[in-house]
Amino acid sequence: MLESVQSHAPLDPLMIAEEWLEAGKEVAIATVVETWGSAPRPVGSHLVIDAEGHFEGSVSGGCVEGAVVAEAAEVIADGKPRMLEFGVADETAWRVGLSCGGRIKVYVERLG
């Protein structure tokens, strides 16, 4: 038997960051600041992360998201923002099943 699943619109990561800060959580935000070639999320996309490793939003997906969450933990701990760059060359992309390569830059900073 199939059940109907209601889909909810995702919450705005900036609103979530505000709620988490008001709740006393330590929070970092990651923002896509530049893309080139194939990039799953556009410039301006956000991922908000708390000190416990909870996160909402998206800056890319897959292993990039995990790396950004890990870096955000360090940003929360030491307060120093970071510019992260991730990319894959066209020739490497083809080998892993992607049609073309791309690069993204993500700025991670502590809030509050």
Side-chain angles (χ1 to χ4, degrees):
M1 178 178 197
L2 297 175
E3 290 185 44
S4 173
V5 177
Q6 289 184 332
S7 99
H8 300 289
L11 295 175
D12 180 353
L14 298 177
M15 292 178 70
I16 292 169
E18 186 176 358
E19 289 174 14
W20 287 357
L21 286 168
E22 288 175 1
K25 294 184 176 190
E26 294 180 303
V27 179
I29 190 159
T31 305
V32 176
V33 295
E34 184 180 319
T35 65
W36 177 86
S38 178
R41 303 287 298 147
V43 168
S45 296
H46 297 289
L47 176 68
V48 60
I49 308 99
D50 74 8
E52 297 173 8
H54 301 109
F55 60 93
E56 293 287 338
S58 179
V59 291
S60 180
C63 58
V64 168
E65 214 98 287
V68 171
V69 169
E71 287 286 337
E74 292 184 31
V75 168
I76 290 170
D78 67 21
K80 297 178 185 172
R82 290 167 175 72
M83 181 69 73
L84 310 175
E85 188 170 341
F86 302 93
V88 61
D90 284 342
E91 48 284 347
T92 305
W94 184 254
R95 281 187 250 142
V96 295
L98 302 172
S99 59
C100 61
R103 184 180 71 237
I104 65 168
K105 283 188 179 181
V106 179
Y107 183 71
V108 184
E109 60 187 315
R110 184 179 174 152
L111 298 178

